[in-house]
Every structure is written in structure tokens, then in C-alpha cells.
Amino acid sequence: MSEKEKESGLTRRDFIRGGVRGALLAGVGAAAGGLLARSRAGDTVWQIDPEKCIACGNCATYCVLKPSAVKCVHAFDICEYCEKCFGYFDLDAPDVETGAENQLCPTGAIRRRVVHGPQYEYKIDEQLCIGCGKCVAGCGQFGMGALFLQVRHDLCINCNECAIAAACPSDAFRRVPADQPYLLKTKQ
Amino acid sequence: MRRLILFLIVLTVSASVALAAAKLPKWYDRPDTTTPAPQSDIFEYIDVAVLAAAMALAAYLALKRRSRRGLLALTIFSLLYFGFWRGGCVCPVGSIQNVTLGLFDSGYVVPAAIIAFFALPLVFTLFFGRVFCAAVCPLGAIQDVVLVKPLKVPAWLAHALGILPYVYLGLAVLMAATGSAFIICRLDPFVGFFRLVPLGKWGQAIIQDGSWPGWDLGGRFNLLALGACVLLISAFIGRVYCRFVCPYGALLRILSRFSRWRVTITPDECIQCRLCEDACPFGAINKPTRRKNVSRSEGKGRLAALILLLPVMVAVGGWLGGRVSPVLSRRNPTIRLAERIRDEDAGKIKGTTDASEVFRESRRPVAELYEEASGKRGEFLLGARLLGAFIALVVMLKMIRFSIRRRRDDYEADRADCLACGRCFAHCPREQARLKRIRENK
């Protein structure tokens, strides 16, 4: 800073700087304000639209968590409590009983128990479920489609860009408001 | 044959099931589908409050208190809180993409907390310089704490590499604006480390049931390997990501030039003792110009040529951008799908992908997909041209700045490069004198 500038107090450069600063502040404010005007107060979270999901298996492999934050869930009011559940039994299963060789689930995460007569209840053990969707595909193809995949929000860390969403072939992932974080199947 | 059998099985099963379903015993209590709630929104607002408080504290520590030790403590806090506790997501660096997508796609609603994450560091930078980089950004913090032996990057190389953040910023904006991908998040080198030691998850589990969930090795290997390389380099080349990669840093560099206040090496006046010359591990200290009374007319011809060349280079950049737009546009899922369908139909490739199968099953007209893809290609062409022009503009402005001769009498922290880390303070004898005065007054 030259002597002359020091004396005059406000230099030309400072003046320009101040002007640009004001303009930039206004710009940042306008952009933020414009977005805030139509923003939502709460956060958004990722969820799978079960109507679009094709149970391709990407959810098991693309999630940054291992095991995946996507799990199979069961809409019990749709379920028909089949004795031979196509979500539970492999199509080529040698027998209709709970032996591992009969099961479709690679981790044995579905618990089968008799309710009454030929009716069986199927429950997902989420500790074991890896979200591969094999049972979802089975139930969807031959059954009622009571099994479907959902992002479990006690596990999901809500990445800014969900790695599974980026890999989803059927565009089934979308951001939903955090106060309605599930897209559940219900009885029609 | 097999299909017929299957069909019969399905028929009989569904028939028997339909009968059975009506007769679920009365005592049976149908379970509900569980829906564990996401983390409360309150944490988002706590994050914003902590961010603002940390930046205010960083500004106080860097500009008023001039305490490197305080800044280091704040750096470690930020690393633990924003990094390991909160998992490093969402960060201001990534929020560029949310804001861009929000501006271009009216269907995408940006959460208020993310807007705050984007705007607050910008506003703070306009007043106090890059105090966000100094001690608040978790990505900067993790590099800062591993810096052991800073090596000097030659000025020419540093200036050349300094173009990269603008290129990255432009690419990220293009990809976000076209709704293609959030590339900053995909290539974040440190988030894998933050997820490796998820303090937040551990803390919650320990508070809830006293258990420790264990290590989370879920971070993808290639990202962790990339992060390890960046960390290894930043042990010797200080803050290599911040200086030569970070797209948010590119924004902050621009704003920092116009900041109201800024970090100074000396608390009062520079006595040109040269003690601070090598103090900055990031090469952000400018020396006084060698000769006194440099006349501004020197290099006038070159400056004039550069200014005349500017529009030409910007046009060339725009043209080049248009040429690479087909390559860039393949990052877009719609365009990728359309090309896949076209190649499958033409018999160029055998087999299908999941995405192409879904498309065919949806019975959506192919023409409609092609139309959507060509619309996207148009967006990409415009965007890539603007990107090319922008990069050319950045390069030319950098060259123009080299050609403008400015007189500098003192050792000064570069307005754009200075990360306000405070490492240079202790090198200044005037600072030592100030500290001595403070001690004696006590």
C-alpha cells in the first residue's frame, strides 16, 4: 500500500472489492433464498418404489454398507400364508420342508412357522437378510407379491447420492420426505 | 412342458390358498410390517448450528486470537464430529450438486439444511476468508492432521494444477444440472474412512444397549484405496485435495479474493525479515516484488495480446467442449439406455441388460425414449460448450493475472490460496513480540 493510499483511507482497490463482495453476497443470498422458498423443512431419504422394483439383486451389492441397508419386508395382509411359498422354496426344491437345500434365501433369513392347517407364516430375520431380492422375485412371479424390498432407515446412512439408486436399472429409487420414509405395499 | 407344470402348480396353489386365506384362525394375530424411523431431522439442524458455530470460532481464532493451537483443536473436533461422527455426509463440497440440481430441476426439492450447508461457508468466506477450509471442513481436516513433511510444489506446477478444481467444478455442475450423477460424491476419497470408523453408529448403539456394533468395512475398496493414496500424498504435499481437486475450494478461492477481513502473517507490520518465507506448507505466502518501483507499463504488449486473445480462446474452448459432449453425455442413464436399445435393435450387441429389459417390458414407445435422449443430448451439448468456454476463461484469466504487475512491499498471505490455518503466525518476530507483551501484561 503506498503512502498516498494509506492517507486517503479508502483505496480504489478496496472500493472495487467491497462492491464485488456486496454483489456476490446478493448472489449467494438470491440463490439460497430462491431455493429456500420451495425447499422442504425436513430432510429427504431414499426409498424403493416396490411397484417399479424388479428385484435384480443390485441392492445387495451396491450399498456402501455390508450387509446392505435394503432388506426384504413382508406385507402380511397381502400374504396368503401358502404352504409352498415361492418366496421361501426354491422352484427345484426336493422337498417342502425347512431344510437349507429347499430354501431360496441364500442366508436362511426367512423363518417359516405353521399357523393353522396348511397355513404358514413367513417372517424375515433382518439380521440375516442381505437384500438380494431372490424371495421378492419368487413371490412376485408366482405368488401375491407380499414380499418386497425397502430401505431400512435404522441402517441407511442416507448418502447424498445413493450408490444403489445410481445402479438401479428400473429407476425404482427415489427421494421421499423423511416423515413418510416408506413406500409400503398394501392390499388393493 | 415345465412351464405348463408351473402354471398348474400356480393354479392349484392359488386356488387352495384362496380357500385357506379366508380361514386364518381367529386367535392368529397378523404381524405388522415394521418401519424403523430415520434419524430425526433435528440432527440436521444441529449440524447446521455446529457448522456456523465452528466457522465463527475459526474466524475468531484465525483473525483475532491468532492461535494455531486453537485452530488445530478445532480441526480435530471437526474431523471427529463432521467426519467420523456424522459420516462426512452431507458436506458443503457435495452440496454444490444438490443446489445445482435444485436450480435446474424444479421437481427436485433441496432440504433447507443442505442449502444452509452450501451457503454458510460462502458467506463466511466473503467476510473472513477461507476459515471453513482452515478448521471446519472434515476433508481438509483429515489431510491436515496427516501432514508430516511438507514438500514445496514448484510454482509453475502449482499454478497448472490449480486449474483442476475449476474443471472438476464445471464437470460436477454439468453432471448435476443434467440430472446424470453426483460425481463429487462418487469420487469422494475420504468418506470411506469416515464410514470405516462410524463413531455415530457406535455411540448410538452403546447408548441404546451397551453393545459395540464392530468395524464397518463396507466402504468400497476402490474408494478406500483412492483415499489412502490421497492421504499418503498429503503427508508430503500439504492438503493436496484442497489445493488441486476440491471444487468447493474453487468457489471459495473466488470469494476469498473479495473478503472483508483476512488472515495476516504479522499482527501489525511486516519488517521483511524473511523468517516466514518458508512457513507455509501450502505455498500461499507471496514474497515482495523483487524490484522496487516496477513500472506498470512493463509487459503491456503481452497483456493486450492476452486480452484480445480471450474471446478467441473462449470460443475455441466452447467448440472443444461441444466436441467432447457425446463422451460426457454417456454418463446420463437415459442416453445410455437409448444407445443400448438402439444397438440391441440394430443387432450390434447381443443380449440385454436389466435396464433394457425393464424398458421393453414397460411397452413404452422407443421413439419416446429416443426423443427424451435427444433432448438430454441437447442439454449436454449446451452444457459442454459452456464448460469448455468456462475452462478456457479460467486459464486465460490466470494468464492475464500473471501479466499484471503489482507492487508488493511486504510478505503477504495470498488471498485465494491462504487456508487460514495459522501456521505462519509463530514464524513472525512481530507476533513473538506481541505474545511476549501479552504474557508480561498478565
Side-chain angles (χ1 to χ4, degrees), chain B residues 352-372:
Chain B
T352 54
T353 59
D354 282 339
S356 71
E357 259 172 50
V358 170
F359 173 75
R360 288 181 195 284
E361 272 165 30
S362 73
R363 308 206 178 278
R364 210 177 131 204
V366 180
E368 198 184 297
L369 175 72
Y370 286 173
E371 199 176 314
E372 196 189 329

Side-chain angles (χ1 to χ4, degrees), chain A residues 1-2 12-14 16-18 20-22 24-26 28-29 31-45 52 54 56-58 61-66 73-84 86 91-92 113-116 118-119 121-123 126 141-144 148 151-155 157-161 163 166-171 175 178-179 181-182 184-185 187, chain B residues 2 6 9-10 13-14 17-25 27-39 41 44-45 89-91 94-95 97-116 118-119 122-123 126-127 180-183 185-186 195 201 204 216-220 254-255 257-262 296 336 354-356 358 361 406-407 409-410 412 415:
Chain A
M1 210 183 273
S2 70
R12 184 194 54 183
R13 208 173 283 167
D14 283 343
I16 294 172
R17 192 163 277 151
V20 176
R21 180 166 58 244
L24 286 170
L25 258 181
V28 172
L35 285 172
L36 270 173
R38 58 180 184 85
S39 79
R40 69 171 96 242
D43 203 2
T44 57
V45 292
K52 285 186 171 179
I54 58 161
C56 63
N58 280 355
T61 47
Y62 279 88
C63 185
V64 296
L65 300 176
K66 298 281 178 300
V73 299
H74 190 170
F76 288 94
D77 53 345
I78 300 177
C79 181
E80 297 283 15
Y81 293 80
C82 310
E83 185 177 6
K84 174 147 181 153
F86 288 100
L91 269 187
D92 304 322
R113 89 182 165 97
V114 63
V115 179
H116 179 70
Q119 296 168 314
E121 182 193 84
Y122 299 90
K123 256 191 173 164
E126 291 196 5
Q141 217 168 349
F142 303 114
M144 302 299 291
F148 58 102
V151 176
R152 303 306 267 172
H153 292 297
D154 50 341
L155 303 171
I157 50 175
N158 201 17
C159 298
N160 198 18
E161 182 183 58
C168 179
S170 61
D171 206 15
R175 296 178 178 91
D179 47 1
Y182 289 92
L184 297 178
K185 275 192 171 179
K187 201 167 188 171
Chain B
R2 191 182 147 144
L6 271 180
I9 292 177
V10 172
V13 166
S14 44
V17 147
L19 286 173
K23 289 188 289 180
L24 262 178
W27 51 261
Y28 175 69
D29 200 8
R30 206 192 289 265
D32 286 325
T33 309
T34 55
T35 52
Q39 204 175 34
D41 287 337
E44 297 275 315
Y45 294 106
C89 200
V90 67
C91 67
S95 73
Q97 306 163 117
N98 301 66
V99 168
T100 308
L101 185 59
L103 289 175
F104 281 87
D105 177 3
S106 54
Y108 173 66
V109 181
V110 195
I114 294 187
I115 300 173
F118 174 74
L122 299 182
V123 173
L126 278 174
F127 284 98
S180 307
F182 280 11
I183 55 170
C185 299
R186 284 195 200 175
R195 287 184 190 135
K201 209 162 136 191
Q204 275 176 1
D216 190 346
L217 293 165
R220 273 177 294 167
I254 299 171
L255 298 192
R257 289 184 190 281
F258 305 101
S259 70
R260 176 74 182 85
W261 297 282
R262 59 171 168 155
R296 292 187 82 169
R336 223 169 27 221
D354 282 339
S356 71
V358 170
E361 272 165 30
R406 285 256 170 87
R407 210 181 90 170
D409 299 327
D410 300 335
E412 280 172 4
R415 271 186 172 270

Side-chain angles (χ1 to χ4, degrees), chain B residues 240-436:
Chain B
V240 67
Y241 184 86
C242 308
R243 288 157 72 195
F244 307 128
V245 185
C246 183
Y248 198 69
L251 283 181
L252 295 184
R253 286 174 65 88
I254 299 171
L255 298 192
S256 177
R257 289 184 190 281
F258 305 101
S259 70
R260 176 74 182 85
W261 297 282
R262 59 171 168 155
V263 165
T264 52
I265 304 169
T266 165
D268 34 40
E269 58 170 339
C270 179
I271 51 172
Q272 273 120 54
C273 65
R274 299 183 60 194
L275 283 172
C276 66
E277 214 170 52
D278 294 318
C280 184
F282 314 123
I285 295 180
N286 290 328
K287 292 175 191 173
T289 39
R290 222 166 285 151
R291 289 172 296 157
K292 302 281 169 192
N293 299 319
V294 180
S295 90
R296 292 187 82 169
S297 60
E298 259 180 64
K300 208 158 62 176
R302 190 167 73 148
L303 182 59
L306 282 172
I307 290 173
L308 286 177
L309 208 57
L310 180 71
V312 181
M313 291 306 282
V314 168
V316 169
W319 177 77
L320 277 175
R323 301 294 293 175
V324 294
S325 118
V327 181
L328 294 176
S329 69
R330 241 157 256 153
R331 302 308 308 165
N332 183 280
T334 311
I335 294 173
R336 223 169 27 221
L337 178 63
E339 290 187 356
R340 173 90 205 177
I341 296 282
R342 187 195 62 203
D343 289 351
E344 278 177 16
D345 285 348
K348 270 191 207 160
I349 31 177
K350 294 263 177 295
T352 54
T353 59
D354 282 339
S356 71
E357 259 172 50
V358 170
F359 173 75
R360 288 181 195 284
E361 272 165 30
S362 73
R363 308 206 178 278
R364 210 177 131 204
V366 180
E368 198 184 297
L369 175 72
Y370 286 173
E371 199 176 314
E372 196 189 329
S374 92
K376 275 273 171 243
R377 276 198 204 98
E379 286 174 23
F380 262 97
L381 184 62
L382 177 66
R385 279 182 180 155
L386 287 174
L387 172 66
F390 170 70
I391 294 171
L393 183 71
V394 168
V395 173
M396 290 307 288
L397 284 181
K398 209 164 183 103
M399 287 171 71
I400 286 174
R401 203 159 50 238
F402 289 142
S403 306
I404 295 175
R405 299 197 177 261
R406 285 256 170 87
R407 210 181 90 170
R408 197 172 25 246
D409 299 327
D410 300 335
Y411 282 87
E412 280 172 4
D414 189 273
R415 271 186 172 270
D417 287 339
C418 176
L419 297 167
C421 70
R423 283 187 174 86
C424 55
F425 296 159
H427 291 257
C428 181
R430 300 291 301 173
E431 172 76 4
Q432 296 298 343
R434 181 185 78 101
L435 292 176
K436 198 174 169 197

